[in-house]
Amino acid sequence: MLSHLRQLEAESIQIIREAVAESEHPVMLYSVGKDSTVLLHLARKAFYPAKPPFPLLHVDTTWKFQEMYAFRDRAAAEAGMELIVHQNPDALARNINPFTHGSSVHTHIWKTEGLKQALDKYHIDMAFGGARRDEEKSRAKERVFSVRSAQHRWDPKRQRPELWQLYNGRTAPGESVRVFPLSNWTELDVWQYIRAEQIPVVSLYLAAPRPVVERDGMLIMVDDDRLPLAPGEQPVLKSVRFRTLGCYPLSGAVESTASTIVDVIAEMLLTTTSERQGRLIDHDASASMERKKQEGYF
Amino acid sequence: MPAQILGTDIEQYLDAHERKSLLRFITCGSVDDGKSSLIGRLLYECQLIFDDQLAALASDSRRYGTRGDALDLALLVDGLSAEREQGITIDVAYRYFSTDRRKFIVADTPGHEQYTRNMVTGASTAEVAVILVDARHGVLTQTRRHTFLVTLLGIRTVVLAINKMDLVDYAEERAEQIAEEYEAFASRLGELDITCIPLSAVHGDNVVARSDRMPWYAGPALLEYLETVEPRRPPGAAPFRMPVQTVLRPDLGFRGFAGPVVRGTVAPGDRVVVLPSGRTSTIDRIVTFDGDLAQAEAGQSITVTLTDEVDVSRGDVLASATEPAAVADQFEVDLVWMSEQEMLPGRSYLIKLGTQLVPGSISKPKYRVNVDNLDRLAATTLGLNDIAVCTLSLDRAVPYDRYADNRELGGFLVIDRLTNDTVAAGMLRLALRRSTNVQWQEVEVTKQARARLAGHQPCVVWFTGLSGAGKSTVANLLERRLHALGCRTYLLDGDNVRHGLNHDLGFTEVDRIENIRRVAEVAALMVDAGLIVLVSLISPYRSDREQARSLVEPTEFCEVFVDTPLAVAESRDPKGLYAKARRGELPNFTGIDSEYQPPLWPEVHLEMTSLAPEEAAERVLLTLRERGVLPS
């Protein structure tokens, strides 16, 4: 009998192979986070000894942690995969940032609009994402294969029933499918798999002394000189780590001494706050995920 | 979980956790049965609720809860706001929790009227079903419906969770009564492993730990059960099957075939056959990212290479050469219609089976199943949530397994070619014999030609009525009259066919339906042969008689209702059967403890209290003349 991790792994590989077989221009959305990292690892397994027959797509906001950029380039090179980096030219021109425009506008223009632009530009008909159903209550009903209109909208009426291991990835011209091979994984499964497979992750997930400032009750790391400091505000060196990674001004750190994967898992088993609490974007409105999904965000 | 790991070696603890098994189960029931409370309780007790979620729950409980100041655990699972729920047409919610022994994936399906497609979707990947009943109400129509649907999808391990025991004072008799009633019903659905657990989700009795409020209950608590149950799987040896998803060709020297092992095991050196082509070869290597494997088992996703250069592509199935999968293009299937646009018989759809995508069409339904009582109903098309038995005809032959043997090569999707929507799901029951290379033979001598020779039209004369109503007597008299007129006849008598054709059938509802189905098919064949077939059969269910009628042309079926009141039939009791039934020695006896559904529009209605048998036979003869069966 296969263990739960091996069953999840086999299921994800089956999904990845199926999605690629049913699409013409597949791509894997790669955000450099732990879920993306596991997804990339599974894709490499799915097609071994061949390389995954699709490029990685990073929808960049220019505001990620410096370490994430370095990790991203290394990971793509190691997998021997093409890396497409897309930055919304409109956002670049208008210098959209979380401070002047707020987290909601920032995320919408850089990520949601940026993603749509990239999918259109490369005629993508299938995009892998690393979302899991356990992340958020409204995702509990999300399909593994999620159909999007030519306008990238998620229409609840068009979502298809999924039975057995059978997925229907057929699309009309212009339409696309988002495929979530990690749908049935929990945060704990992801970490356990990272440990079992010894997959390298961005070291921001592990505790280290980092310069942080406190904003709205969240610890924000001062990753570069673009973070405006209030008069007299001084970054403090604290032992922190991140449970989720995104744009550094929007990612809250937690104080921690967990400096290994095992420590992180132990801390997680003892922890009492859910993963998404560290994400500033989710605090905007309670139904925000649902709205973002309809607009085309993951 | 946290409390336990503090004192132990974390590495050891995590090693153990990596080896946990996985169980997928489905929960069926409505909010009223306390389903959300039960799932909420399991999540809560397994400590998957974080502080921030708990704070939100506490505030939600005060605002929307039904438990006063106490936490309303149901809100953990159905706290979605109304607008979020809107427009979600298929909503199976998947939830996750784990204990030290197992990880669980719960397909949580709502019990409202959209239940069928949701439940069928959720059940397709589940191995165990937890069916909830309210201890106050016991087994309801919806309980039977849920049970039928999960067994249709192949689940053979069922927990009947008798919830709200707190509201019946934790009474043993009540739980036993419900369990008995349920088991009596479920026995009609074939071999099932049934476990009945009395519990209270709200108070946590028998959910995670055994409750001292039900000392009479000796079985496991629900979670204990779920942690240890080994679901019943298809019996017998499982031969190797792997649908090929893709062919990997990283360089000229490597050609690997990637796919999931959906059944059996495979090892290098095994002889395999490529289906549908039928070419055989030998497994050379099982290649993975982590090195070659000595063996792979069902559930793994692998890549294999073969020793020969045989042609293999996506859609093919690699199978054990000694026990290959069968190949066919016509099947009898169970079909669940999932779309608001209705099924069009004969229309070309795309069928996805394994990794094969094949055009195919679906016949007019043989019958539709009323999921509330398993009645078979006539149908010309199918609408949303209808379940039916149909014939599936594919444009080319495909390798398959029967669904009962292998879900992954026996379950299929029906996809609309224009919208690309998945409009139905189906399960292969069996291949129709004519599909194995036998084409439908066009015959030269037609029914009409035979009728001309016989001098009369063929017809089924179907006598229905209670036992002892006089069916056989009238049928016999009629046959003598017809024979004297030079007609070609045959009498199919209910009792007689049970000695031969149907000697393997009993008197359960399922067997009775099958009994009638076989007689109806034989009668239809005889009509094709040009005979006047007299059928004398209690045939208590309207749907079965309608089914028999549907097998022949409208003018070729004559339903005769032999109407004798129960009291009269019982007082005659020519075979002493009523007396036996009254003594409880004959269960399921029509009229006593099994229902008789009188015909609504019979061609002939014989009120036997005012007719002598000879007069009755004469009435039928008259009708046959009026209907043009006999020359007038």
Side-chain angles (χ1 to χ4, degrees), chain A residues 1-11 13-19 21-22 41 44-51 133-138 140-143 154 156-172 175 183-189 192 195-197 243 261-263 265-266 268-277 285-290, chain B residues 1-2 5-6 10-11 13-15 17-22 24 50-53 60 75-77 79-80 84-96 98 103 105 120-121 124-125 153 233 245-246 248-250 254 258-260 262 287-290 297-303 314 338 350 352-355 357 403 407-408 411-413 415 419-422 425-427:
Chain A
M1 202 53 197
L2 296 176
S3 73
H4 75 292
L5 278 185
R6 294 301 150 201
Q7 286 192 56
L8 290 173
E9 176 189 65
E11 176 186 80
I13 288 174
Q14 190 259 341
I15 292 167
I16 291 170
R17 288 170 172 171
E18 207 56 19
E22 294 220 333
H41 185 76
R44 293 177 68 187
K45 284 196 167 195
F47 297 99
Y48 179 86
K51 287 171 190 159
R133 287 191 184 120
D134 88 318
E135 277 177 68
E136 225 257 338
K137 227 190 227 175
S138 71
K141 296 175 181 177
E142 179 62 276
R143 303 303 184 279
W154 176 83
K157 299 242 185 238
R158 297 253 356 240
Q159 302 310 309
R160 300 163 177 169
E162 291 178 341
L163 295 96
W164 305 292
Q165 296 181 358
L166 294 178
Y167 300 100
N168 171 4
R170 297 178 61 80
T171 49
E175 290 179 344
S183 286
N184 285 329
W185 296 55
T186 62
E187 188 185 10
L188 183 58
D189 295 329
Q192 282 196 333
R195 171 180 179 267
E197 294 280 302
R243 295 185 62 192
I261 299 293
V262 170
D263 290 346
I265 299 175
M268 204 184 78
L269 290 172
L270 295 166
T271 199
T272 52
T273 50
S274 68
E275 183 183 20
R276 299 196 72 87
Q277 209 189 28
S286 73
S288 66
M289 283 312 290
E290 195 75 6
Chain B
M1 187 150 59
I5 64 162
L6 278 174
I10 178 75
E11 294 271 4
Y13 177 84
L14 292 178
D15 285 345
H17 267 252
E18 261 174 37
R19 293 191 290 269
K20 279 194 292 199
S21 58
L22 173 65
R24 295 174 199 247
F50 295 108
D51 273 3
D52 51 335
Q53 290 170 333
D60 282 356
L75 293 174
L76 280 173
V77 291
L80 293 180
R84 281 181 181 172
E85 292 283 315
Q86 255 177 22
I88 297 185
T89 48
I90 299 164
D91 47 4
V92 183
Y94 292 91
R95 309 189 192 284
Y96 308 86
S98 59
K103 170 184 165 111
I105 300 181
V120 161
T121 300
S124 73
T125 51
L153 270 286
R233 301 205 163 86
Q245 290 186 281
T246 186
L248 301 174
R249 261 177 256 223
F254 187 93
V262 296
V287 182
T288 80
F289 190 79
D290 307 299
E297 61 179 296
Q300 282 181 284
S301 283
I302 58 169
T303 298
R314 175 172 164 83
M338 297 185 154
L350 289 175
K352 187 164 186 186
L353 170 66
T355 53
L357 194 66
Y403 185 78
R407 289 189 193 187
E408 304 305 337
F412 63 90
L413 301 180
I415 299 169
T419 63
N420 289 321
D421 288 337
T422 300
M427 289 135 294

Side-chain angles (χ1 to χ4, degrees), chain B residues 243-293:
Chain B
V244 176
Q245 290 186 281
T246 186
V247 180
L248 301 174
R249 261 177 256 223
D251 53 62
L252 286 175
F254 187 93
R255 223 158 58 98
F257 310 107
V261 181
V262 296
R263 197 180 178 198
T265 60
V266 65
D270 284 0
R271 293 289 293 164
V272 292
V273 57
V274 183
L275 296 169
S277 78
R279 300 252 165 74
T280 56
S281 184
T282 304
I283 301 281
D284 186 20
R285 297 168 57 199
I286 303 173
V287 182
T288 80
F289 190 79
D290 307 299
D292 281 13
L293 300 181

Side-chain angles (χ1 to χ4, degrees), chain B residues 530-549:
Chain B
L531 308 188
I532 296 175
V533 193
L534 314 180
V535 177
S536 168
L537 209 55
I538 298 173
S539 46
Y541 305 120
R542 237 167 251 145
S543 56
D544 294 334
R545 299 191 300 263
E546 285 316 302
Q547 174 61 21
R549 184 186 288 271

